[in-house]
Amino acid sequence: MNGLLVDDDVVYARILQRSLQRRGMDVRIAHAAAEALALVAADAPDFALVDLKIGTSSGLDLIAPLRAARADMQIVLVTGYASVATAVEAIKRGADNYLPKPVTADALLRALQDEPAIEEVETMTPLSRLEWEHIQQAMHECGGNVSAAARLLGMHRRSLQRKLAKRPGPERK
């Protein structure tokens, strides 16, 4: 099974790609809508995992062109800003599934196989993980410049450096 991950979060996309490759899947990454459409035009994948927010673009706008490229492609929309309204809109536009971020490889595989989610008590993402991801996004937007990221986040540079030195632990399952 081959797939396409469309996400502007470079680190997240690469980690998910490696996780899926360990499960025997061939997965390509696109960090922009135009890049995704070019990859699909060259070789339409079996599935596409599309982020709702891709830079300044909307993943919702990618659903129709992906579906046109391959009618049987499974399209899963993911977002860190999940809402009922966007879920309904995604399904109306032709997405097969809608998942909140962060999506694990196992959750994606279950969604692709139309298996129900495992019945377990949902826990929220730990605050330390959310803070880490927010800091990483600021660092990415500032091109790795710690001083600029600290200004963007409204914190002292040394405080940001201390937070960067502490990486959050793995999430509990």
Side-chain angles (χ1 to χ4, degrees), residues 32-82:
E35 184 183 354
L37 293 174
L39 287 172
V40 167
D43 181 33
D46 298 321
F47 73 90
L49 179 85
V50 182
D51 191 10
L52 177 65
K53 223 175 127 184
I54 310 164
T56 58
S57 303
S58 171
L60 291 170
D61 297 333
L62 270 179
I63 296 172
L66 290 174
R67 184 68 65 207
R70 182 170 174 183
D72 66 337
M73 180 188 311
Q74 287 187 297
I75 301 172
V76 178
L77 196 80
V78 296
T79 183
Y81 310 98

Side-chain angles (χ1 to χ4, degrees), residues 22 24 48 62 74 97 122:
R22 280 192 296 267
L62 270 179
Q74 287 187 297
N97 215 323
E122 284 291 320

Side-chain angles (χ1 to χ4, degrees), residues 23-159:
R23 288 165 174 78
M25 302 179 97
D26 178 33
V27 181
R28 295 173 290 163
I29 297 175
H31 299 296
E35 184 183 354
L37 293 174
L39 287 172
V40 167
D43 181 33
D46 298 321
F47 73 90
L49 179 85
V50 182
D51 191 10
L52 177 65
K53 223 175 127 184
I54 310 164
T56 58
S57 303
S58 171
L60 291 170
D61 297 333
L62 270 179
I63 296 172
L66 290 174
R67 184 68 65 207
R70 182 170 174 183
D72 66 337
M73 180 188 311
Q74 287 187 297
I75 301 172
V76 178
L77 196 80
V78 296
T79 183
Y81 310 98
S83 73
V84 172
T86 55
V88 169
E89 185 64 23
I91 300 304
K92 278 184 181 178
R93 291 193 186 198
D96 296 302
N97 215 323
Y98 180 91
L99 300 172
K101 258 184 167 179
V103 174
T104 64
D106 292 333
L108 177 59
L109 292 174
R110 280 193 302 275
L112 292 173
Q113 296 167 355
D114 291 327
E115 290 180 13
I118 294 176
E119 296 293 325
E120 58 184 56
V121 176
E122 284 291 320
T123 59
M124 294 183 77
T125 304
L127 187 56
S128 61
R129 169 56 80 185
L130 292 174
E131 180 184 44
W132 176 259
E133 290 175 6
H134 189 67
I135 287 171
Q136 292 304 310
Q137 181 179 3
M139 290 293 292
H140 178 71
E141 289 177 16
C142 294
N145 184 319
V146 175
S147 296
R151 280 192 298 276
L152 182 65
L153 292 167
M155 65 173 39
H156 194 275
R157 180 185 50 80
R158 279 191 249 160
S159 297

